[in-house]
Structures are given as structure tokens and as C-alpha cells.
Amino acid sequence: MLSVYEEETSEGVGMPAPIKGIDTRQALGHMDPETCVLSFNLMPKDQGCEVRKGYVEYGNGPDGDNPYTMVSYNGLAEDGTDDKLFMCDEQGIWDVSTSGDTSPTEVHTWAAQTDGAGICSYIQHVDTDGASYILLCDKTNGYHVWTQSTTTWAKIAQGTGATQIASPADPATFAYVRKWKERVWFIAENTQTAWYLDVLALYGTPTKFEFGNKHPHGGFLSSLHSFTRDGGAGADDLMVALSSSGDVSLWEATNPDLDMDMRGRWFIGEVPTIGRRCGVEYGGDVYLLSVAGVSSVSSLIEGKTLTNERNLLTDKIGPWVREVMSHGRNTFGWGLVINSKDGTMVITTPAFTSWKRVQFVLNLTNQAWAIWRDVPIEHGTMYRNEFYFCTTQDSANRVY
């Protein structure tokens, strides 16, 4: 018997690109088609998705071990001739400002070249005379200053001289530096103690401020940040203090010598302890990385509790962040960094033998998440409107 011909009724269905990025909160069978459970090296954009940018070698040659920190200086010259780029490793500080340089100059050698030397924080500073500096604190070697007018680095000693730090503070123990209310603040290694100098000063007799009695979960003082808000009388900068155990305290002062008052305190969970890079400032807000994910100080102030994961910036990728964090919270490599050219926030992670190295990347415009892999970032910074990072590749220290 002949079969009756029936016209084919199937038709193609268009599927949109996952421009809303990764979202693990949704059931797989009922997901928004503009989201995905997982994607690698595919960045969600407003008009579609694009493959993440590649990277090219900028320079190599520093022969110390373990490059840990990139340091950039933005000079006054409009053509960028005053700009500088340095890389810190366990041996010292290298000038890597010149593209293609395979024999960079070691401009400063650490006194102690032990494990952890080269893990630094830094700020750019201008004093009352308009002179420009880089103030840098190394985890192992303490406080150092780069002077723009002489292009030289100097380790700062304890003493009463014009370019020294007076007792009882010991600059050799300074592991972190930040500026707040026009004053330079330091954190002493393995303490809850901060020291601050007079307005715009970079040397002198600092004043001690103890945070330990305000952080009930203990640990050491990890970092300090500036949070900007308008309380009705104009914008004002408040200080955010973060402990390694996850205590966050918010401070207000006109003059810290007279009226340093705590305005709030929260617990966000333990933070990665090595590197002190678990906080970043952007757009007046402060973002903090802990075992729970990334939270913002503005959300904490608004009373958004972290028991509701949707109050975390990382709520869409929470399982993936916690999975990587479970391989080693106290391993060097965790951090937050802003790539202002691409409009992204990057969560850097360590290199684990049991886990392929990744970075979690947030599009700050549409709040969409992606995951990068095969990018060996130890630490990165913006320099001349491009993102540069250091790493060890093929047994050589390199800058990309």
C-alpha cells in the first residue's frame, strides 16, 4: 500500500547569544536562553558575546623568583613620557617600562629575599610641595619610596630624620599602605594595628590606631579602603577596614586625631590571607572578596544580609567561586582588580595543581559574568590605559 506523503513540519529555532552571562541560580530545563551554566573565554556584551582578548609578551628578563606585583605610575607629561611600570619579585624591583625589553634594570634589591618578598601594596602620592612619589610596602621588607624627580627607590628606616619614620612605629614591619583623608595609613604585618601620618606627609612621627578591639572574630588587619557617600551634607569619604577573619568596620572622621568614630560593623566570612588584595574601590563603592563571594559596602550599609546569596555580587556564579576557593583560600593569587578600559572587574585566582587556573570576570555595564582560563595572571594593573600582568612562563619572568 502506498504511503501518504506528508509535508515536513519541523522548522528552525533561533537561539540568542548568552549576553546575560553565567547564571547558576536557574534550573537547567527552565533557564533564560540569554544565560548559560558555564562558558569559558566568552565575554557577554550588550549586543552579543565576543571571545576574550588574547595577550602578547611585553617584556621579560627579570631573573628573580616568583613575580608577585605590578606597579604603575601615571606621570604629569601629557605624552606619557613620565609614566613608569615596575615589577616586583622575590629578588627586588625591576623597571619594565620599555616594551620588548629582555634585559630590564633591577632598580632596587630587597634586603631580605625570602618567600613572600615582592608581595606589595602601593599608592601614588603628592606632598605639600607638589613632588610626586610611589609609596610601597612589601610584605617582607617593609616601607619603600620611589621619588619621581630622582627616579630612585629607597628603603625607609626608623629614626627622627627628615626621610625616616619615628619610633615606636617600625617601617620595616609595614605591609600595606593606603591614603585616606589626605593622610597616608600603614598596616603593620601580623597585627590589627594601623599607623597614620600628618596630612600629605610621607615621613615623620605616625599616630597609632588599633582596630583589634572592634573586630571580634580576630585575625590580622588585612586592608583599608575609602568609601564615598553623600549623607545629606555633601559627599564624604569613610574608611573601610577589613580583617583576615572577615570583620568589616566602617569609620567616619573629619580629623582622625579628634573624632574617629565607627559607623557600622559586619561579618562577611574569612578572606584569603596572602596578598591583601581582596578589596577594590570603584565608583565610590568598595567591593570585598571572601569565602562567601564578593559583597559591596553599599549593600552592607543598606542592610542586605549575606544569608541571602542574591545580595552578593557573585550570586550568579557562587558555586564556581566556592569550588575554586575550596582548593586553597590561603594561597597567593586571590584578588580583585578593575580593568577600566574593558569595563570589567576581575577575580584572580591561584594556580592550583588540581585545578585549571581561571579568572572570574564581571561586565560592569550589564552585570554579566564570564570565566577566563589559560591566562596566567599573578597580578595585574592598568598602565597607559591597558591591562598589564606578570607571571612565570617557561621558567622566565614575563610581563604581558
Side-chain angles (χ1 to χ4, degrees):
M1 184 176 180
L2 295 175
S3 60
V4 180
Y5 171 77
E6 294 183 2
E7 185 177 351
E8 183 178 356
T9 59
S10 64
E11 60 182 48
V13 177
M15 292 294 292
I19 61 173
K20 296 180 181 177
I22 299 171
D23 191 346
T24 62
R25 304 171 302 177
Q26 305 176 56
L28 186 60
H30 300 279
M31 289 190 69
D32 180 340
E34 293 185 340
T35 64
C36 57
V37 175
L38 196 61
S39 71
F40 292 109
N41 295 331
L42 193 65
M43 281 302 300
K45 300 287 186 176
D46 293 339
Q47 303 300 321
C49 294
E50 67 178 28
V51 176
R52 71 151 173 83
K53 296 178 180 179
Y55 56 92
V56 296
E57 183 176 295
Y58 179 77
N60 67 66
D63 55 11
D65 293 328
N66 300 323
Y68 284 131
T69 307
M70 296 298 297
V71 177
S72 63
Y73 171 82
N74 298 310
L76 296 175
E78 186 176 0
D79 61 1
T81 53
D82 289 345
D83 298 348
K84 301 293 286 186
L85 186 66
F86 301 98
M87 188 194 76
C88 305
D89 61 18
E90 288 186 357
Q91 180 171 308
I93 304 174
W94 303 79
D95 187 338
V96 293
S97 303
T98 304
S99 175
D101 192 351
T102 58
S103 300
T105 302
E106 185 179 13
V107 292
H108 184 80
T109 302
W110 301 128
Q113 299 179 14
T114 58
D115 183 40
I119 300 177
C120 307
S121 72
Y122 72 94
I123 60 172
Q124 193 165 321
H125 178 74
V126 178
D127 67 11
T128 53
D129 296 323
S132 189
Y133 306 87
I134 297 173
L135 312 185
L136 179 145
C137 288
D138 176 71
K139 179 180 187 296
T140 301
N141 291 279
Y143 182 33
H144 292 68
V145 172
W146 178 80
T147 304
Q148 189 273 334
S149 61
T150 61
T151 66
T152 56
W153 286 91
K155 177 178 174 61
I156 306 307
Q158 186 184 56
T160 58
T163 59
Q164 294 181 319
I165 296 293
S167 177
D170 183 359
T173 67
F174 290 172
Y176 182 87
V177 60
R178 184 62 60 195
K179 185 185 289 186
W180 182 64
K181 293 290 184 180
E182 302 302 321
R183 298 170 185 264
V184 177
W185 290 68
F186 304 97
I187 297 176
E189 177 75 348
N190 297 325
T191 72
Q192 286 264 13
T193 301
W195 299 87
Y196 63 89
L197 292 166
D198 291 339
V199 172
L200 297 181
L202 61 157
Y203 312 109
T205 302
T207 301
K208 180 179 179 180
F209 191 87
E210 182 63 48
F211 287 89
N213 60 345
K214 302 299 183 182
H215 292 164
H217 293 89
F220 60 85
L221 187 59
S222 179
S223 59
L224 302 170
H225 305 276
S226 181
F227 172 78
T228 302
R229 71 167 186 181
D230 189 337
D236 189 22
D237 291 335
L238 280 67
M239 175 184 282
V240 177
L242 174 66
S243 79
S244 62
S245 295
D247 288 311
V248 179
S249 56
L250 185 68
W251 299 82
E252 183 177 20
T254 302
N255 181 343
D257 291 335
L258 305 174
D259 56 358
M260 190 79 167
D261 296 322
M262 190 173 74
R263 296 304 186 191
R265 182 174 63 202
W266 305 268
F267 177 69
I268 62 171
E270 295 84 356
V271 305
T273 57
I274 301 177
R276 301 176 185 265
R277 294 170 180 164
C278 291
V280 67
E281 302 164 12
Y282 182 75
D285 209 342
V286 178
Y287 298 94
L288 304 171
L289 173 66
S290 72
V291 293
V294 176
S295 53
S296 69
V297 171
S298 61
S299 292
L300 296 174
I301 292 174
E302 292 170 6
K304 296 180 179 180
T305 64
L306 301 190
T307 53
N308 181 352
E309 190 176 28
R310 289 181 181 262
N311 292 330
L312 291 165
L313 200 64
T314 47
D315 65 322
K316 297 178 182 179
I317 58 167
W320 304 130
V321 175
R322 290 192 293 272
E323 173 66 23
V324 180
M325 191 79 73
S326 71
H327 287 259
R329 173 176 67 89
N330 296 327
T331 304
F332 175 80
W334 289 104
L336 293 174
V337 62
I338 299 293
N339 182 338
S340 54
K341 181 179 180 180
D342 290 345
T344 57
M345 176 190 294
V346 181
I347 303 176
T348 62
T349 71
F352 298 115
T353 56
S354 57
W355 185 270
K356 199 173 184 69
R357 191 171 207 164
V358 298
Q359 293 85 35
F360 301 99
V361 185
L362 175 67
N363 183 327
L364 292 166
T365 301
N366 61 14
Q367 300 294 290
W369 284 98
I371 298 177
W372 291 353
R373 65 180 177 186
D374 304 318
V375 186
I377 299 174
E378 296 291 346
H379 178 247
T381 190
M382 296 300 296
Y383 174 65
R384 294 179 176 172
N385 199 36
E386 297 287 351
F387 184 73
Y388 289 77
F389 66 89
C390 58
T391 191
T392 298
Q393 286 273 80
D394 303 323
S395 301
N397 293 345
R398 302 177 187 272
V399 177
Y400 293 94

